[in-house]
Amino acid sequence: MKNTVITALGIIGGFVVSMLGGWSSALATLIVFMAVDYLTGLIAAGVFKKSPKTASGALNSGVGFKGIFKKIGILFVVMLAYRLDITANTNFVKNSVIIAYIANEFLSITENLALMGIYMPSAVKKAIDVLQRDKKGDENNENFN
């Protein structure tokens, strides 16, 4: 039974990674940043009770699941970017998308760390302010059509 489960997980993992364009350092970095962002968000809400996503600032399972599905959505965009690279016979769309998401995850991580009271240099604070303004603008213009 154990071997069957391990084999099945290996097959599923191999398929997912192949759909994302193969295992690369950029993809590994994105996944690490996504995991750290999720964990720092859990710590900010669970330990420090300072989540801006809930009224009480505490953990909320619905918000947590929403965060997981957003991360899955990011991986879908990476997959689509990879397919665009294949279609256009290029090699930069996927990497550009990954770099953009890494930058976004980095800003989210630093925001979570700031919520925990960890010192942030002023340049990072300004970048977070810009990102928050951009997100509010995106929320007001959710339709791309």
Side-chain angles (χ1 to χ4, degrees):
M1 179 66 175
K2 178 182 172 185
N3 288 337
T4 304
V5 170
I6 291 171
T7 302
L9 288 174
I11 291 169
I12 293 167
F15 175 75
V16 169
V17 168
S18 71
M19 292 302 293
L20 294 170
W23 194 254
S24 66
S25 60
L27 181 60
T29 301
L30 175 61
I31 291 171
V32 167
F33 274 56
M34 290 168 62
V36 170
D37 178 44
Y38 192 79
L39 289 173
T40 57
L42 283 175
I43 293 167
V47 176
F48 293 92
K49 312 266 189 269
K50 291 190 176 183
S51 172
K53 296 178 181 169
T54 62
S56 66
L59 282 173
N60 179 305
S61 61
V63 172
F65 283 120
K66 192 175 181 182
I68 289 171
F69 283 105
K70 283 183 176 184
K71 305 294 185 203
I72 292 170
I74 288 171
L75 294 176
F76 281 145
V77 174
V78 170
M79 178 184 64
L80 295 174
Y82 170 63
R83 299 308 305 176
L84 283 172
D85 269 342
I86 291 171
T87 301
N89 198 27
T90 63
N91 196 22
F92 66 90
V93 178
K94 179 184 97 167
N95 287 333
S96 299
V97 166
I98 288 175
I99 290 167
Y101 280 122
I102 287 171
N104 188 57
E105 294 293 318
F106 176 74
L107 289 174
S108 182
I109 291 165
T110 57
E111 183 180 34
N112 291 338
L113 295 173
L115 290 171
M116 292 182 227
I118 295 173
Y119 169 77
M120 290 291 133
S122 63
V124 174
K125 288 179 187 177
K126 288 178 186 175
I128 290 170
D129 289 340
V130 169
L131 179 65
Q132 286 175 334
R133 277 185 263 146
D134 285 349
K135 281 184 180 178
K136 287 179 184 172
D138 288 346
E139 289 170 3
N140 294 332
N141 299 311
E142 288 191 4
N143 293 329
F144 294 110
N145 300 331

